[in-house]
Amino acid sequence: RQPQAPTPVPQPRAAGAGTALPATDATGRQRLHAAAAQLAAAAEALAPYPAFGSGVRELRARAAQLREGRYTIALFGAFSAGKSSFANALLGELVLPVSPHPTTAAITRIVAPPSGRAHKEACIAFKSAEAMQADLAHSYEALQLGKWKANRWREEVARLKPEEIPAPGRTHYTFLKAAASQWEAHEGKLGTQQLTDIEEFAAYAAQEGKACFVEWMDLYYSCPLTEQGLTIVDTPGADSIHARHTGVTFEYMKQCDALLYVTYYNHAFSRVDRQFLTHLGRVKGSFALDKMFFIVNAADLASSSQELDEVTGYVKEGLIRAGITEPQVFALSSKLARQAKERGDSSLLDASGLTVFEQTFYTFINRQLTHLALESASRELQTVLAQAKEWQLALQHSREQREEKLARLQEDSKAVSAFTAKLARGIRLPELRQEAEELLFHARNRLKLYAGDLFQEFFHPSLLSEEAGSKRARFGASFHGWLSQLSIELERELQATSLRLEKKCESLMSSHIQGGLDELILELEDAPVFITEHRSPWDTPSLMKRRLEHSLAAADYDSYFKSSKLFFEGGGRRELRQALEQPLAVVLQDAVEEAGQGLIEYYAQGYSRRLREVTAFIEVQWNEWMTGIQTLSGDETETRDFLQRLKQVESFEEVVQKVIF
């Protein structure tokens, strides 16, 4: 499942211009389409029989998913790491501007043109007025400018001087200046969408005055990669100044089919990299597959192969420390790779390092991802086939036996109703609460340690000893930056906790449902094989009621910063840290407890709702089975026809198994 996409990912089309993908890509799609055909045929074979109504619908839905064969490839990384240039290397053409400004970053998706859209056409969605105002207010606060004023903010921004802006606030200053410069041209576009061409798309991607108003952009681009159903998503930089990007980024991290993290050769493991990768390390174990690939971009800057090996080894060690075991790291030059594809120079492509990555990456796409999709489809087909074999036994009964069977089924309906009622009430809240409390306890302790590390970084001579801005403004900017970054880390901890609770709920429900069904089947003389994997996907809850930078005020502590000399040499920084220790502990405790209660309530309700969905689905299947038995005629023609259909379904299942392996 993908995150909520701005516009639907289009159906695959015939291949257009661009660099051809490996032959295995076509094989992967052929396997999906072959399996889809078997599932659709099995559904049609059983469609005339009411007893298989739910199974037929499930098979048809799964076949449609296999035919679409869509995969989302999400690019992550800090600003200036080369995500755009790496995307261009994959596409084989200069498509994305390679030097976007660091203060803004919209979600940019590259997809095959859907029906009615042309190659190199784009759709631009502008921020809502509320989102834009929230971004402006956030930057106002970061610069210690007071409350954002709708009628006067541009005049106030115009009076700001770059030499007076403290280092932690410079990105916010750039954003405010850019927004003010283009406000009149874009205020009326807020909350709207517009179709445009690739030139205008490039301008909105690269020009700060335009980019700061954009929420997301879709570029419709026809090439072998997109035509094979792959969507490239360029996510906001890991160091984005906009708070909501933390949630957007996590959704793509969670839902994407492949995650590519790009870092730059000359700063291959920056602070932003370390923080984000630690977050990846926390959630990696929750994914069904190891879908993470790590790119060291601009490898052509290495002076020797030995230096390149040293940098790659350094990155691998850092990833392992971040909790990412057995990381897949590839050093390559996106610039050389794109040039090689444009020229059709295979030797240069090999030298760029992209060939090795693409071989591994497309093998993952077309084998592991395809295998996972096919196995899931096969399980559904096997369940429906098991139902059909149960039906075969019913057909072999005499009229008297069928009447007796129907009478038993009607009596057993009471047991089924009692079972579903009990199952729907059976949420295992104590286990869920215990899991949440343990996870949040460790999260709170990590945040306390992380707050100390961040304190050293934001209350540092390089930020507070310079002359830019007033003494109070410098202290306030550092104080806000410290708490703002800690808020981001808190949100990431909550995201990782939510993912683990989601998996815990799924595990508890599976054992709960299967255990109940095992007991029910022992109680019943005749029972169909039930489909139980019919559950809604989970969304990630939003739990940040208030951000930490709103919980502590810089003005209450600026007396500790009388001067840079006294602060760093006279013990002011140590005294400030001691003064903040207890208030921060209380703030973190309250924030984590508040969010923890919200998590428990959210997943308890989600658990209960999904149990009700499953029990309702079981009741539907039971009623379908009852209806099927009631409508049996038992004549030879009916039996002979069904046996032929059963043989067809068995042959379809055999084909799917061959496709998988």
Side-chain angles (χ1 to χ4, degrees), residues 346-649:
S346 59
S347 297
L348 182 59
L349 188 63
D350 290 344
S352 74
L354 187 66
T355 300
V356 174
F357 164 76
E358 287 190 326
Q359 288 173 345
T360 304
F361 178 67
Y362 289 125
T363 297
F364 166 77
I365 292 289
N366 297 296
R367 291 186 185 172
Q368 291 175 262
L369 282 182
T370 299
H371 190 83
L372 192 67
L374 291 174
E375 280 193 323
S376 180
S378 176
R379 286 195 299 272
E380 290 188 4
L381 182 53
Q382 287 173 351
T383 300
V384 176
L385 179 58
Q387 290 179 337
K389 289 181 177 178
E390 289 285 338
W391 188 255
Q392 178 188 8
L393 296 177
L395 285 171
Q396 295 172 349
H397 292 159
S398 65
R399 181 175 181 178
E400 291 76 14
Q401 288 174 320
R402 287 198 304 275
E403 290 176 352
E404 291 176 5
K405 183 182 183 72
L406 183 58
R408 287 196 305 271
L409 288 173
Q410 290 171 338
E411 184 66 26
D412 287 343
S413 292
K414 299 176 184 177
V416 173
S417 296
F419 158 72
T420 55
K422 179 182 177 182
L423 187 66
R425 296 191 303 268
I427 181 171
R428 296 157 74 169
L429 186 58
E431 293 174 72
L432 186 59
R433 184 179 296 277
Q434 181 181 358
E435 180 79 5
E437 289 174 351
E438 289 179 2
L439 290 171
L440 291 168
F441 172 79
H442 294 298
R444 186 168 57 249
N445 287 339
R446 284 193 297 267
L447 284 166
K448 288 179 181 178
L449 293 174
Y450 184 65
D453 294 339
L454 275 180
F455 184 91
Q456 295 298 112
E457 180 178 336
F458 279 92
F459 294 95
H460 190 272
S462 64
L463 299 181
L464 290 170
S465 295
E466 58 177 285
E467 296 303 319
S470 67
K471 174 171 66 71
R472 186 170 186 174
R474 278 181 278 145
F475 179 81
S478 287
F479 195 92
H480 181 278
W482 173 56
L483 290 179
S484 181
Q485 188 59 50
L486 193 58
S487 282
I488 290 174
E489 194 64 17
L490 169 59
E491 188 168 4
R492 287 173 175 170
E493 286 281 4
L494 295 176
Q495 289 166 350
T497 301
S498 73
L499 192 53
R500 288 171 180 157
L501 288 177
E502 178 182 319
K503 301 305 176 186
K504 182 68 173 181
C505 284
E506 287 295 320
S507 174
L508 289 173
M509 280 192 294
S510 294
S511 62
H512 183 189
I513 293 165
Q514 192 55 55
L517 277 177
D518 289 344
E519 293 179 7
L520 177 66
I521 290 170
L522 287 175
E523 185 177 348
L524 305 180
E525 287 193 44
D526 294 296
V529 178
F530 292 106
I531 301 170
T532 60
E533 294 185 10
H534 183 83
R535 293 198 284 271
S536 300
W538 294 86
D539 294 322
T540 303
S542 177
L543 299 166
M544 291 288 286
K545 307 284 189 215
R546 54 183 174 176
R547 297 185 62 81
L548 299 182
E549 56 265 41
H550 301 152
S551 301
L552 296 172
D556 295 337
Y557 298 91
D558 62 5
S559 61
Y560 289 93
F561 185 64
K562 297 181 174 65
S563 71
S564 295
K565 183 177 179 63
L566 289 174
F567 189 71
F568 293 108
E569 298 178 17
R573 180 167 66 169
R574 182 182 65 255
E575 293 171 2
L576 173 64
R577 185 167 182 174
Q578 291 172 347
L580 283 167
E581 186 173 334
Q582 184 58 32
L584 180 65
V586 172
V587 166
L588 286 176
Q589 177 81 16
D590 291 346
V592 172
E593 284 187 359
E594 181 182 49
Q597 186 58 41
L599 278 169
I600 292 170
E601 291 176 2
Y602 178 84
Y603 285 101
Q605 292 173 3
Y607 191 131
S608 179
R609 178 165 61 85
R610 284 162 180 79
L611 278 181
R612 291 195 300 271
E613 289 176 1
V614 171
T615 54
F617 192 45
I618 288 172
E619 288 177 346
V620 167
Q621 293 176 78
W622 177 261
N623 291 331
E624 289 172 345
W625 191 257
M626 287 271 296
T627 301
I629 296 295
Q630 288 172 338
T631 57
L632 268 179
S633 67
D635 61 40
E636 293 183 6
T637 302
E638 181 184 53
T639 302
R640 186 168 57 252
D641 178 66
F642 180 78
L643 290 177
Q644 289 176 348
R645 291 172 180 269
L646 177 59
K647 288 181 180 179
Q648 289 176 340
V649 175

Side-chain angles (χ1 to χ4, degrees), residues 84-97:
S84 297
S85 62
F86 178 69
N88 290 335
L90 290 177
L91 295 166
E93 187 178 349
L94 185 60
V95 177
L96 295 177

Side-chain angles (χ1 to χ4, degrees), residues 122-142:
C123 181
I124 299 174
F126 295 95
K127 296 175 183 176
S128 68
E130 293 76 15
M132 190 67 191
Q133 290 170 13
D135 288 346
L136 292 168
H138 178 64
S139 290
Y140 241 61
E141 183 180 341

Side-chain angles (χ1 to χ4, degrees), residues 96-106 124 126 174-175 177-179 181-182 185-186 198-214 217:
L96 295 177
V98 296
S99 298
H101 292 274
T103 60
T104 59
I124 299 174
F126 295 95
T174 303
F175 168 69
K177 294 290 282 188
S181 69
Q182 288 283 318
H186 289 87
I198 194 170
E199 287 76 18
E200 188 72 1
F201 162 84
Y204 272 99
Q207 296 177 21
E208 184 64 23
K210 293 176 177 287
C212 65
F213 292 93
V214 175
M217 296 190 291

